[in-house]
Amino acid sequence: MSTIVKCVSSCLRTLCWTADIITLQETWFLPHDLLFLETIDEAFAFTGKSAVDTSQGILLGRPFSAVALLWRKFAFPRVSVLKSHSLEAVKTHLDSGKSMLAVNV
């Protein structure tokens, strides 16, 4: 686990006590670091994308556009994940028949 992931995890756990949706931007996560998001809190699901291309060998510079989104599974049991180049979004399907879109760009 990278140093960045270790620093972020305690803050995220604290946010999970009060938030139902958490968005992360410019995370610097490597692709394999994203799986750590499922260990933050078992009550949350997640989607995310890394901006780092690890196939190029040595990592140089600072990658941009890495985003992630976590949501409380109990509050939002029916979710559709929407993705594009630098966007992560979840569309929640509420019992009232309405939906809500949370977007992280």
Side-chain angles (χ1 to χ4, degrees):
M1 185 181 303
S2 73
T3 304
I4 292 168
V5 171
K6 289 176 185 175
C7 292
V8 169
S9 66
S10 66
C11 291
L12 282 177
R13 285 188 177 93
T14 302
L15 281 172
C16 288
W17 297 340
T18 57
D20 289 331
I21 295 178
I22 300 168
T23 61
L24 304 173
Q25 296 178 337
E26 304 296 336
T27 63
W28 297 20
F29 290 161
L30 297 175
H32 64 271
D33 288 334
L34 288 171
L35 293 178
F36 117 90
L37 293 172
E38 70 186 2
T39 68
I40 293 297
D41 189 313
E42 64 184 29
F44 280 77
F46 79 96
T47 183
K49 93 172 41 206
S50 173
V52 180
D53 180 2
T54 56
S55 68
Q56 300 300 315
I58 296 174
L59 303 177
L60 299 173
R62 174 170 131 26
F64 296 96
S65 301
V67 294
L69 209 149
L70 295 90
W71 63 93
R72 187 175 306 278
K73 293 184 274 189
F74 176 76
F76 308 106
R78 297 178 315 185
V79 170
S80 300
V81 175
L82 312 168
K83 296 179 178 239
S84 76
H85 175 66
S86 60
L87 162 92
E88 290 284 319
V90 291
K91 181 178 181 181
T92 62
H93 309 280
L94 306 173
D95 290 337
S96 65
K98 296 182 180 184
S99 59
M100 178 180 75
L101 186 64
V103 180
N104 191 9
V105 180

